[in-house]
Amino acid sequence: MATTQRMVVIGANAAGMSAASQARRLKPVGELEIVVLERGGYTSYSACGIPYWVGGDVAGVDDLIARTPEQHRERDIDLRLYTEVTALDPDGRRVRVRGRGDGGPPGEWLGYDQLVIATGARPLRPELPGIDAPGVHGVQTMEDGRALLEALERIEAARSAGTPRRAVVIGAGYIGVEMAEALIRRGHEVTVVDRAEQPMTTLDPDMGRLVREAMCRMGIETVTGATVTAIRTGEDGRARAVATEDTEYEADIVVLGLGVRPETELAREAGLPLGGSEGLLTDLAMRVRGREDIWAGGDCVEVLDLVSGRTRHVALGTHANKHGQVIGTNIGGGYATFPGVVGTAVSKVCDLEIARTGLSEEQARALGLRFTTVTIESTSRAGYYPGAAPMHVKMLAERRTGRLLGAQIVGREGAGKRVDVAAVALSAGMTVEQMTALDLGYAPPFSPLWDPVLVAARKAAAEVRRAGAH
Amino acid sequence: MATTQRMVVIGANAAGMSAASQARRLKPVGELEIVVLERGGYTSYSACGIPYWVGGDVAGVDDLIARTPEQHRERDIDLRLYTEVTALDPDGRRVRVRGRGDGGPPGEWLGYDQLVIATGARPLRPELPGIDAPGVHGVQTMEDGRALLEALERIEAARSAGTPRRAVVIGAGYIGVEMAEALIRRGHEVTVVDRAEQPMTTLDPDMGRLVREAMCRMGIETVTGATVTAIRTGEDGRARAVATEDTEYEADIVVLGLGVRPETELAREAGLPLGGSEGLLTDLAMRVRGREDIWAGGDCVEVLDLVSGRTRHVALGTHANKHGQVIGTNIGGGYATFPGVVGTAVSKVCDLEIARTGLSEEQARALGLRFTTVTIESTSRAGYYPGAAPMHVKMLAERRTGRLLGAQIVGREGAGKRVDVAAVALSAGMTVEQMTALDLGYAPPFSPLWDPVLVAARKAAAEVRRAGAH
C-alpha cells in the first residue's frame, strides 16, 4: 500500500495554486495531501489586472479572481489563509507556520515530502522620508488595490467637480505607466516621476522617448532624470507632495510603481541558492538547485533567458502560471520543464501600445555582442484602410550571424501583439534574413503589404550584409 | 564598356513593378533598360483593397495605388500602358507586343535579355447561361471595381430608401465574404451562394461552420451545398436572379467571388513549365525552371509550400511583392530567394476575423499524414478586460513527432493576426510541445494569462502524448 505524501505550497497565487491544482489533477487524495499556506486572504488572482480595476475598466475585485478559496477547497486542497510561514528547515523537511490567531512567534512546524516555494515578489519601496505616510500606495496585492481604490474614491468625493485632483506616480516602468493610465481615466491630473532619462527602461532610450512623447500628448506630465528625495506630508500627516532634488510635485495621492523584487527572505535564511536579483535558482524542471524535494516558481525565482544564456528575474503572471503547471506535473509523477524566456513584455498606456522582446542595446552590449540596430515606421493596417495607425519597430541583429537579438515596438492599436512574431523567431534562433521570408497574415484590415515586423527585418538584414563587409 | 541589357516585364502590378523598381535601384540606366508592358491602365495597385473601396472604407481609387505610372517613369522605367503581349518566343528571346491603337494582330517583336512574367491571375468565371449579362460583376481589376461601384451607385440612386436592394455573391471564399461585407455595408440584402458545404473551404468544415453561423447573425443569407446553374436575365437583358438546382435568388446585382487561376496562357503556348494549378514553376530565385533568362512571380506562379513540400498556387499581394523584390535583386546582380510559404491567410467579414496557416485536415490526409486535431475556445484579452471577445483556435499536430501542421482561427477583434505565431512556428518546424513554452506578450488588455494559441498548443501536445501510447 502506498503511503500518502504531503505537498506543502507557500503562496496561493498563480504559481502556487497552479502547482497545487495540477498535482491534484494527477494524484488523488489518498496518494497526495496538498496543503497551501497563504499569508493574505486571496487566491489565484490577477495582480496584473489591478491597474485596470483601479482605472474602472474592471468592475469589481471578483473579476480578477480566477478561483476562490472555496473552489480550491472543493478540489481537496487544504488551503490555509492568513497563515504565514516564518522559517524553512530543508534538512528537517519542515516549515514553521503561524496562523493569524496564533499570537507571537514562533509557530508550529509542519512537515512536507515536497515543498513548493511560490512566495512571489514584494514591491520596491525606497527608503524615503514620508514613504509610510497615509496617501502613499503600492499596487502589488489585492489589499493594496482595494486600499488605493478607497482612497481615490474618498478624494474624488471630497473635491468638487471643477477642482483638479493631483496624483503622482513614482516610477515610469510597466506598473507606473499602467497606473498613470488608470488615474487619468479617473479624471486626475497625473505626474509620473522616474530617475531614468526615459520611461520604460526595458526599451532602449530612443524607443522610450516615443513613449514619453505620447504620454505628454495624453496630458501625463512625465518627469524623467529626476530622483525623488522625500514624500512631503501636511499637518495632518498625509502625503501632500513628492519632492525631487530640484522641485516638488503636489499630490493628493502618491502611487509607487517601481517594480518588484523576489520575496526570498525565508529561502535566503534557509541557505537556498539565490541569483543576482535575489530570485531562487532552479533547474529546468523548476526544482530548486541542489534540492530533491523543494520546488520554486513564479515571481520569486530567476529564469533562464534563452537569448542571453543567463538567469534573470521576470515577474509575469503568464510565466508564474506555467511554472506552477510544470511543478504540479512533476510532483504529480509526470514530466515537464520550463525551458526559459526570451524577455517578451507588452503593455499599454491609454491608446499607446508598448512591447519588447529579447535584448535591448544595453543588454546586448553587456554580453559582448556586436550588433546592428534599425528602426522603421510603418502602419498597423494597409495605409489606405481606416484605423491604420503608425507604429515604430526597432530590431537588433547580431553582426556576422545576422541572428535576431531583440525587437521593440511602440504604436497604437494592433502594434503590441506583433512582438509575438519576434518572440517566436527568437525562440527558433532565426536570422533577420530568414525572417524576411516569413509568411505572415496579410489583408488590408490587418497589415500593410509588408508587415511592419518584416519591414524591420528586411532593413536589419540589409544592415547586417552591409556591416559584414567590414 | 558594358553593353546595356534590356529587362522586359509583363504586367505592371505588385510582382512586376517590384521587380522593375528593385532592379532599377541596383542598376543604372546605362547598364539596364527596363520596359514594362501592361494590358490595363493602372500600376502597382492593391487588388486586395477593392472590396474595401466598394464597401466605402476606402475613399477613392487613388488610395489603392501605391505608385502611379508617372512615378515609375520618373525612375527611368519605360512603362507602356494598354499594351498587350500576344506571344512569347523564349528561344528567340523576344515577346510580341500590340498597343491599344495598333489594330489587329500580330504586333511587333520586342527583344529582351531578361524577361519577367508577372501576368497575374484571372478570376474564375463558370460557363453559365447569362454569365455575361449586364449586372454580373467580377472584382479582380481596378476596372472591375470601378464598374461595380458605378453599377451599385446607379441601383442605390434608382431605388427609394425603403426598397430592399438585393445582391447575390457567388462564392464564399475570401473574395466572396469580403464582398458580402462590402455590400452589407452599403445597405444591400446579401445572399452568398457556394457549392461547398461550408464557407471558407480553406478552413476545415467545423471552423467553416463557425464562419457561416456568424455570417447568418450578420444578416448575410449564406446558402451552401448549392450549385449555381444559371444567371436569369430580365426582359432588358440584365441579370435579375441567380438560379441553383433547387431554387433561385433574386438579384439587382451579381458579384463573382470565385477565386482566381494563374494567367499563363502565353507561357503555356511558349512551352514553359506549369504546375497542376497552371501556375508557372520556378526555382527558389524565381527563375522559370529550365530557363536562364526568364523569371516569374506573383499570382501567375506556383510556390513551394514548406509544410507539404509541394508547389501550389497562392494569390496574395504580399507574396507577389516579395517575388518581385527577389527577381529585381537577382536581375540587378544581387542574390535573393523566396523560400516558400506556409499557407497563411487572414480575412474578415464585418467584425469576424478568420485566419489559417499550414495544412487543413483534408490537405494533411492527402499527404498521408496521421495527426491529431484540437479546437479550443478562449478570449482575445483577459476574460475580465473590456472587449475580451471569444475566439476559436484549431490546431493540427503530427502524431509521433508532435510537429505543428496547421492552425485555424475564427474570432473577433484581435483574433486574426494571432495566426502569425503559428506561421512562424511552422517555418521553424516547431512541435506543439515546444510551442507551449513560447514567451508571448501578456498583459490583460492583450491576452488571457495563456494566449489562446498556447492553450491550443497545450491541448494538442497532450493529445499527441495520448495518441503516442497507441
Side-chain angles (χ1 to χ4, degrees), chain B residues 19 25 32 34 58 92 94 104 132 140 146 148 155 167 221 230 246 277 282 284-285 292 302 341 356 371 411 426 442:
Chain B
R25 227 167 269 136
L32 188 70
I34 303 178
V58 177
R94 55 185 193 163
D132 295 321
Q140 173 71 2
R146 190 179 289 284
L148 172 59
I155 292 170
E221 185 182 19
D246 300 324
S277 68
T282 72
L284 295 183
E292 271 303 302
E302 290 189 10
V341 303
R356 55 97 64 224
F371 52 90
L426 277 171
Y442 164 67

PDB file of all heavy atoms in Angstrom, chain B residues 19 25 32 34 58 92 94 104 132 140 146 148 155 167 221 230 246 277 282 284-285 292 302 341 356 371 411 426 442:
ATOM      1  N   ALA B  19       9.720  44.110 -59.155  1.00  0.00           N
ATOM      2  CA  ALA B  19      10.922  43.627 -59.842  1.00  0.00           C
ATOM      3  C   ALA B  19      11.597  44.780 -60.580  1.00  0.00           C
ATOM      4  O   ALA B  19      12.822  44.969 -60.485  1.00  0.00           O
ATOM      5  CB  ALA B  19      10.560  42.507 -60.808  1.00  0.00           C
ATOM      6  N   ARG B  25      16.886  50.113 -58.785  1.00  0.00           N
ATOM      7  CA  ARG B  25      17.634  50.557 -57.618  1.00  0.00           C
ATOM      8  C   ARG B  25      19.089  50.080 -57.695  1.00  0.00           C
ATOM      9  O   ARG B  25      20.010  50.773 -57.281  1.00  0.00           O
ATOM     10  CB  ARG B  25      16.973  49.972 -56.354  1.00  0.00           C
ATOM     11  CG  ARG B  25      16.756  50.962 -55.246  1.00  0.00           C
ATOM     12  CD  ARG B  25      15.821  50.387 -54.171  1.00  0.00           C
ATOM     13  NE  ARG B  25      14.428  50.709 -54.424  1.00  0.00           N
ATOM     14  CZ  ARG B  25      13.400  49.875 -54.310  1.00  0.00           C
ATOM     15  NH1 ARG B  25      13.595  48.627 -53.914  1.00  0.00           N
ATOM     16  NH2 ARG B  25      12.179  50.269 -54.553  1.00  0.00           N
ATOM     17  N   LEU B  32      21.110  48.922 -67.602  1.00  0.00           N
ATOM     18  CA  LEU B  32      19.875  48.141 -67.723  1.00  0.00           C
ATOM     19  C   LEU B  32      18.737  49.028 -68.196  1.00  0.00           C
ATOM     20  O   LEU B  32      18.390  50.012 -67.530  1.00  0.00           O
ATOM     21  CB  LEU B  32      19.520  47.512 -66.360  1.00  0.00           C
ATOM     22  CG  LEU B  32      18.359  46.524 -66.364  1.00  0.00           C
ATOM     23  CD1 LEU B  32      18.743  45.221 -67.088  1.00  0.00           C
ATOM     24  CD2 LEU B  32      17.912  46.207 -64.935  1.00  0.00           C
ATOM     25  N   ILE B  34      14.782  49.122 -68.735  1.00  0.00           N
ATOM     26  CA  ILE B  34      13.648  48.373 -68.175  1.00  0.00           C
ATOM     27  C   ILE B  34      12.374  48.789 -68.897  1.00  0.00           C
ATOM     28  O   ILE B  34      11.996  49.962 -68.883  1.00  0.00           O
ATOM     29  CB  ILE B  34      13.500  48.628 -66.662  1.00  0.00           C
ATOM     30  CG1 ILE B  34      14.796  48.254 -65.928  1.00  0.00           C
ATOM     31  CG2 ILE B  34      12.317  47.835 -66.094  1.00  0.00           C
ATOM     32  CD1 ILE B  34      14.775  48.522 -64.431  1.00  0.00           C
ATOM     33  N   VAL B  58     -12.613  52.739 -48.071  1.00  0.00           N
ATOM     34  CA  VAL B  58     -11.511  53.450 -48.721  1.00  0.00           C
ATOM     35  C   VAL B  58     -12.138  54.506 -49.622  1.00  0.00           C
ATOM     36  O   VAL B  58     -13.019  54.196 -50.427  1.00  0.00           O
ATOM     37  CB  VAL B  58     -10.667  52.470 -49.552  1.00  0.00           C
ATOM     38  CG1 VAL B  58      -9.567  53.203 -50.288  1.00  0.00           C
ATOM     39  CG2 VAL B  58     -10.094  51.388 -48.654  1.00  0.00           C
ATOM     40  N   GLY B  92      13.937  32.754 -79.148  1.00  0.00           N
ATOM     41  CA  GLY B  92      14.338  33.981 -79.830  1.00  0.00           C
ATOM     42  C   GLY B  92      14.536  35.154 -78.882  1.00  0.00           C
ATOM     43  O   GLY B  92      14.909  36.247 -79.308  1.00  0.00           O
ATOM     44  N   ARG B  94      12.394  37.058 -77.279  1.00  0.00           N
ATOM     45  CA  ARG B  94      11.595  38.225 -77.657  1.00  0.00           C
ATOM     46  C   ARG B  94      10.127  37.970 -77.329  1.00  0.00           C
ATOM     47  O   ARG B  94       9.701  36.823 -77.162  1.00  0.00           O
ATOM     48  CB  ARG B  94      11.762  38.521 -79.157  1.00  0.00           C
ATOM     49  CG  ARG B  94      11.425  37.323 -80.027  1.00  0.00           C
ATOM     50  CD  ARG B  94      11.703  37.565 -81.497  1.00  0.00           C
ATOM     51  NE  ARG B  94      11.073  36.502 -82.272  1.00  0.00           N
ATOM     52  CZ  ARG B  94      10.835  36.551 -83.580  1.00  0.00           C
ATOM     53  NH1 ARG B  94      11.185  37.621 -84.279  1.00  0.00           N
ATOM     54  NH2 ARG B  94      10.247  35.546 -84.199  1.00  0.00           N
ATOM     55  N   GLY B 104      -5.321  45.103 -85.317  1.00  0.00           N
ATOM     56  CA  GLY B 104      -5.346  43.658 -85.118  1.00  0.00           C
ATOM     57  C   GLY B 104      -3.971  43.070 -84.847  1.00  0.00           C
ATOM     58  O   GLY B 104      -2.989  43.797 -84.726  1.00  0.00           O
ATOM     59  N   ASP B 132     -22.521  36.471 -68.874  1.00  0.00           N
ATOM     60  CA  ASP B 132     -22.005  37.710 -69.467  1.00  0.00           C
ATOM     61  C   ASP B 132     -23.027  38.840 -69.486  1.00  0.00           C
ATOM     62  O   ASP B 132     -22.772  39.906 -70.060  1.00  0.00           O
ATOM     63  CB  ASP B 132     -21.479  37.437 -70.875  1.00  0.00           C
ATOM     64  CG  ASP B 132     -20.271  36.511 -70.854  1.00  0.00           C
ATOM     65  OD1 ASP B 132     -19.433  36.676 -69.941  1.00  0.00           O
ATOM     66  OD2 ASP B 132     -20.183  35.627 -71.720  1.00  0.00           O
ATOM     67  N   GLN B 140     -11.698  41.680 -59.906  1.00  0.00           N
ATOM     68  CA  GLN B 140     -10.279  41.353 -59.967  1.00  0.00           C
ATOM     69  C   GLN B 140      -9.424  42.582 -60.234  1.00  0.00           C
ATOM     70  O   GLN B 140      -8.370  42.747 -59.626  1.00  0.00           O
ATOM     71  CB  GLN B 140     -10.074  40.303 -61.076  1.00  0.00           C
ATOM     72  CG  GLN B 140      -8.649  39.960 -61.384  1.00  0.00           C
ATOM     73  CD  GLN B 140      -8.016  39.159 -60.263  1.00  0.00           C
ATOM     74  OE1 GLN B 140      -8.656  38.838 -59.276  1.00  0.00           O
ATOM     75  NE2 GLN B 140      -6.741  38.883 -60.388  1.00  0.00           N
ATOM     76  N   ARG B 146     -14.282  49.652 -60.449  1.00  0.00           N
ATOM     77  CA  ARG B 146     -14.938  50.883 -60.856  1.00  0.00           C
ATOM     78  C   ARG B 146     -16.318  50.594 -61.465  1.00  0.00           C
ATOM     79  O   ARG B 146     -17.311  51.245 -61.132  1.00  0.00           O
ATOM     80  CB  ARG B 146     -14.066  51.625 -61.877  1.00  0.00           C
ATOM     81  CG  ARG B 146     -14.530  53.032 -62.182  1.00  0.00           C
ATOM     82  CD  ARG B 146     -13.614  53.714 -63.190  1.00  0.00           C
ATOM     83  NE  ARG B 146     -12.310  54.064 -62.648  1.00  0.00           N
ATOM     84  CZ  ARG B 146     -12.101  55.108 -61.836  1.00  0.00           C
ATOM     85  NH1 ARG B 146     -13.121  55.864 -61.436  1.00  0.00           N
ATOM     86  NH2 ARG B 146     -10.898  55.393 -61.402  1.00  0.00           N
ATOM     87  N   LEU B 148     -18.235  47.984 -60.932  1.00  0.00           N
ATOM     88  CA  LEU B 148     -19.153  47.518 -59.895  1.00  0.00           C
ATOM     89  C   LEU B 148     -19.663  48.689 -59.068  1.00  0.00           C
ATOM     90  O   LEU B 148     -20.860  48.807 -58.775  1.00  0.00           O
ATOM     91  CB  LEU B 148     -18.442  46.493 -58.993  1.00  0.00           C
ATOM     92  CG  LEU B 148     -19.203  46.042 -57.752  1.00  0.00           C
ATOM     93  CD1 LEU B 148     -20.544  45.408 -58.121  1.00  0.00           C
ATOM     94  CD2 LEU B 148     -18.365  45.046 -56.947  1.00  0.00           C
ATOM     95  N   ILE B 155     -27.961  51.619 -58.928  1.00  0.00           N
ATOM     96  CA  ILE B 155     -29.047  50.872 -58.278  1.00  0.00           C
ATOM     97  C   ILE B 155     -29.524  51.608 -57.036  1.00  0.00           C
ATOM     98  O   ILE B 155     -30.715  51.765 -56.784  1.00  0.00           O
ATOM     99  CB  ILE B 155     -28.564  49.455 -57.887  1.00  0.00           C
ATOM    100  CG1 ILE B 155     -28.303  48.632 -59.144  1.00  0.00           C
ATOM    101  CG2 ILE B 155     -29.579  48.760 -56.980  1.00  0.00           C
ATOM    102  CD1 ILE B 155     -27.589  47.317 -58.861  1.00  0.00           C
ATOM    103  N   ALA B 167     -28.435  41.752 -53.468  1.00  0.00           N
ATOM    104  CA  ALA B 167     -27.193  41.378 -54.136  1.00  0.00           C
ATOM    105  C   ALA B 167     -26.917  39.906 -53.870  1.00  0.00           C
ATOM    106  O   ALA B 167     -27.151  39.421 -52.755  1.00  0.00           O
ATOM    107  CB  ALA B 167     -26.033  42.226 -53.615  1.00  0.00           C
ATOM    108  N   GLU B 221     -27.453  36.075 -45.857  1.00  0.00           N
ATOM    109  CA  GLU B 221     -28.011  34.762 -46.168  1.00  0.00           C
ATOM    110  C   GLU B 221     -26.902  33.910 -46.788  1.00  0.00           C
ATOM    111  O   GLU B 221     -26.317  34.292 -47.808  1.00  0.00           O
ATOM    112  CB  GLU B 221     -29.190  34.908 -47.139  1.00  0.00           C
ATOM    113  CG  GLU B 221     -29.907  33.593 -47.409  1.00  0.00           C
ATOM    114  CD  GLU B 221     -31.058  33.736 -48.417  1.00  0.00           C
ATOM    115  OE1 GLU B 221     -31.091  34.731 -49.174  1.00  0.00           O
ATOM    116  OE2 GLU B 221     -31.920  32.849 -48.446  1.00  0.00           O
ATOM    117  N   ALA B 230     -27.493  28.903 -63.456  1.00  0.00           N
ATOM    118  CA  ALA B 230     -27.673  29.958 -64.463  1.00  0.00           C
ATOM    119  C   ALA B 230     -27.827  31.309 -63.793  1.00  0.00           C
ATOM    120  O   ALA B 230     -28.198  31.400 -62.620  1.00  0.00           O
ATOM    121  CB  ALA B 230     -28.920  29.676 -65.302  1.00  0.00           C
ATOM    122  N   ASP B 246     -32.048  23.997 -57.057  1.00  0.00           N
ATOM    123  CA  ASP B 246     -33.293  23.904 -56.300  1.00  0.00           C
ATOM    124  C   ASP B 246     -34.209  25.115 -56.415  1.00  0.00           C
ATOM    125  O   ASP B 246     -35.417  25.000 -56.337  1.00  0.00           O
ATOM    126  CB  ASP B 246     -32.983  23.729 -54.802  1.00  0.00           C
ATOM    127  CG  ASP B 246     -32.188  22.471 -54.568  1.00  0.00           C
ATOM    128  OD1 ASP B 246     -32.438  21.476 -55.283  1.00  0.00           O
ATOM    129  OD2 ASP B 246     -31.301  22.495 -53.690  1.00  0.00           O
ATOM    130  N   SER B 277      -1.858  23.554 -61.024  1.00  0.00           N
ATOM    131  CA  SER B 277      -2.876  24.610 -60.988  1.00  0.00           C
ATOM    132  C   SER B 277      -2.672  25.597 -62.135  1.00  0.00           C
ATOM    133  O   SER B 277      -3.256  26.668 -62.130  1.00  0.00           O
ATOM    134  CB  SER B 277      -2.791  25.367 -59.663  1.00  0.00           C
ATOM    135  OG  SER B 277      -1.582  26.103 -59.623  1.00  0.00           O
ATOM    136  N   THR B 282       8.929  27.764 -60.891  1.00  0.00           N
ATOM    137  CA  THR B 282      10.205  28.485 -60.843  1.00  0.00           C
ATOM    138  C   THR B 282      11.140  27.789 -59.857  1.00  0.00           C
ATOM    139  O   THR B 282      10.718  26.914 -59.098  1.00  0.00           O
ATOM    140  CB  THR B 282      10.013  29.933 -60.354  1.00  0.00           C
ATOM    141  OG1 THR B 282       9.715  29.915 -58.955  1.00  0.00           O
ATOM    142  CG2 THR B 282       8.891  30.638 -61.106  1.00  0.00           C
ATOM    143  N   LEU B 284      13.977  28.625 -56.610  1.00  0.00           N
ATOM    144  CA  LEU B 284      13.796  29.468 -55.419  1.00  0.00           C
ATOM    145  C   LEU B 284      14.235  30.914 -55.667  1.00  0.00           C
ATOM    146  O   LEU B 284      13.848  31.819 -54.925  1.00  0.00           O
ATOM    147  CB  LEU B 284      14.548  28.882 -54.226  1.00  0.00           C
ATOM    148  CG  LEU B 284      14.022  27.512 -53.755  1.00  0.00           C
ATOM    149  CD1 LEU B 284      14.787  27.048 -52.530  1.00  0.00           C
ATOM    150  CD2 LEU B 284      12.528  27.549 -53.463  1.00  0.00           C
ATOM    151  N   ALA B 285      15.018  31.132 -56.726  1.00  0.00           N
ATOM    152  CA  ALA B 285      15.392  32.503 -57.089  1.00  0.00           C
ATOM    153  C   ALA B 285      14.329  33.141 -57.974  1.00  0.00           C
ATOM    154  O   ALA B 285      14.495  34.262 -58.442  1.00  0.00           O
ATOM    155  CB  ALA B 285      16.752  32.510 -57.786  1.00  0.00           C
ATOM    156  N   GLU B 292      17.315  30.251 -68.247  1.00  0.00           N
ATOM    157  CA  GLU B 292      18.301  31.117 -67.615  1.00  0.00           C
ATOM    158  C   GLU B 292      17.810  32.561 -67.526  1.00  0.00           C
ATOM    159  O   GLU B 292      18.168  33.291 -66.608  1.00  0.00           O
ATOM    160  CB  GLU B 292      19.605  31.105 -68.437  1.00  0.00           C
ATOM    161  CG  GLU B 292      20.573  30.013 -68.038  1.00  0.00           C
ATOM    162  CD  GLU B 292      20.954  30.065 -66.567  1.00  0.00           C
ATOM    163  OE1 GLU B 292      21.466  31.107 -66.122  1.00  0.00           O
ATOM    164  OE2 GLU B 292      20.714  29.078 -65.840  1.00  0.00           O
ATOM    165  N   GLU B 302       3.346  29.097 -59.224  1.00  0.00           N
ATOM    166  CA  GLU B 302       3.160  28.234 -58.059  1.00  0.00           C
ATOM    167  C   GLU B 302       4.375  28.398 -57.161  1.00  0.00           C
ATOM    168  O   GLU B 302       5.484  28.611 -57.641  1.00  0.00           O
ATOM    169  CB  GLU B 302       3.019  26.769 -58.484  1.00  0.00           C
ATOM    170  CG  GLU B 302       1.709  26.500 -59.198  1.00  0.00           C
ATOM    171  CD  GLU B 302       1.450  25.018 -59.431  1.00  0.00           C
ATOM    172  OE1 GLU B 302       2.186  24.182 -58.885  1.00  0.00           O
ATOM    173  OE2 GLU B 302       0.501  24.718 -60.174  1.00  0.00           O
ATOM    174  N   VAL B 341       6.081  29.285 -48.882  1.00  0.00           N
ATOM    175  CA  VAL B 341       5.026  29.771 -47.991  1.00  0.00           C
ATOM    176  C   VAL B 341       4.652  28.663 -47.007  1.00  0.00           C
ATOM    177  O   VAL B 341       5.018  27.512 -47.196  1.00  0.00           O
ATOM    178  CB  VAL B 341       3.778  30.187 -48.792  1.00  0.00           C
ATOM    179  CG1 VAL B 341       4.116  31.242 -49.837  1.00  0.00           C
ATOM    180  CG2 VAL B 341       3.117  28.976 -49.458  1.00  0.00           C
ATOM    181  N   ARG B 356      -5.925  31.303 -41.129  1.00  0.00           N
ATOM    182  CA  ARG B 356      -5.461  29.923 -41.226  1.00  0.00           C
ATOM    183  C   ARG B 356      -4.008  29.927 -41.644  1.00  0.00           C
ATOM    184  O   ARG B 356      -3.512  30.883 -42.255  1.00  0.00           O
ATOM    185  CB  ARG B 356      -6.318  29.136 -42.222  1.00  0.00           C
ATOM    186  CG  ARG B 356      -6.412  29.738 -43.609  1.00  0.00           C
ATOM    187  CD  ARG B 356      -5.453  29.133 -44.601  1.00  0.00           C
ATOM    188  NE  ARG B 356      -5.747  27.739 -44.820  1.00  0.00           N
ATOM    189  CZ  ARG B 356      -4.825  26.781 -44.865  1.00  0.00           C
ATOM    190  NH1 ARG B 356      -3.551  27.101 -44.793  1.00  0.00           N
ATOM    191  NH2 ARG B 356      -5.157  25.523 -45.040  1.00  0.00           N
ATOM    192  N   PHE B 371      -2.475  12.573 -37.827  1.00  0.00           N
ATOM    193  CA  PHE B 371      -2.381  13.769 -36.990  1.00  0.00           C
ATOM    194  C   PHE B 371      -3.511  13.791 -35.965  1.00  0.00           C
ATOM    195  O   PHE B 371      -4.486  13.046 -36.085  1.00  0.00           O
ATOM    196  CB  PHE B 371      -2.446  15.023 -37.864  1.00  0.00           C
ATOM    197  CG  PHE B 371      -3.636  15.039 -38.788  1.00  0.00           C
ATOM    198  CD1 PHE B 371      -4.834  15.606 -38.380  1.00  0.00           C
ATOM    199  CD2 PHE B 371      -3.576  14.465 -40.043  1.00  0.00           C
ATOM    200  CE1 PHE B 371      -5.931  15.603 -39.219  1.00  0.00           C
ATOM    201  CE2 PHE B 371      -4.666  14.464 -40.889  1.00  0.00           C
ATOM    202  CZ  PHE B 371      -5.859  15.032 -40.478  1.00  0.00           C
ATOM    203  N   GLY B 411     -12.613  34.317 -34.880  1.00  0.00           N
ATOM    204  CA  GLY B 411     -12.935  35.083 -33.686  1.00  0.00           C
ATOM    205  C   GLY B 411     -13.237  36.524 -34.024  1.00  0.00           C
ATOM    206  O   GLY B 411     -13.511  36.854 -35.174  1.00  0.00           O
ATOM    207  N   LEU B 426       5.522  27.191 -37.680  1.00  0.00           N
ATOM    208  CA  LEU B 426       5.573  26.268 -38.824  1.00  0.00           C
ATOM    209  C   LEU B 426       6.878  26.434 -39.591  1.00  0.00           C
ATOM    210  O   LEU B 426       7.537  25.457 -39.939  1.00  0.00           O
ATOM    211  CB  LEU B 426       4.405  26.545 -39.783  1.00  0.00           C
ATOM    212  CG  LEU B 426       3.057  25.928 -39.465  1.00  0.00           C
ATOM    213  CD1 LEU B 426       1.994  26.499 -40.399  1.00  0.00           C
ATOM    214  CD2 LEU B 426       3.092  24.402 -39.575  1.00  0.00           C
ATOM    215  N   TYR B 442       2.164  39.102 -22.781  1.00  0.00           N
ATOM    216  CA  TYR B 442       0.988  39.007 -21.912  1.00  0.00           C
ATOM    217  C   TYR B 442       0.769  40.284 -21.124  1.00  0.00           C
ATOM    218  O   TYR B 442       1.686  40.786 -20.482  1.00  0.00           O
ATOM    219  CB  TYR B 442       1.106  37.836 -20.926  1.00  0.00           C
ATOM    220  CG  TYR B 442       0.107  37.990 -19.800  1.00  0.00           C
ATOM    221  CD1 TYR B 442      -1.247  37.885 -20.068  1.00  0.00           C
ATOM    222  CD2 TYR B 442       0.511  38.328 -18.508  1.00  0.00           C
ATOM    223  CE1 TYR B 442      -2.190  38.093 -19.067  1.00  0.00           C
ATOM    224  CE2 TYR B 442      -0.422  38.540 -17.502  1.00  0.00           C
ATOM    225  CZ  TYR B 442      -1.764  38.422 -17.789  1.00  0.00           C
ATOM    226  OH  TYR B 442      -2.694  38.643 -16.813  1.00  0.00           O
TER     227      TYR B 442
END
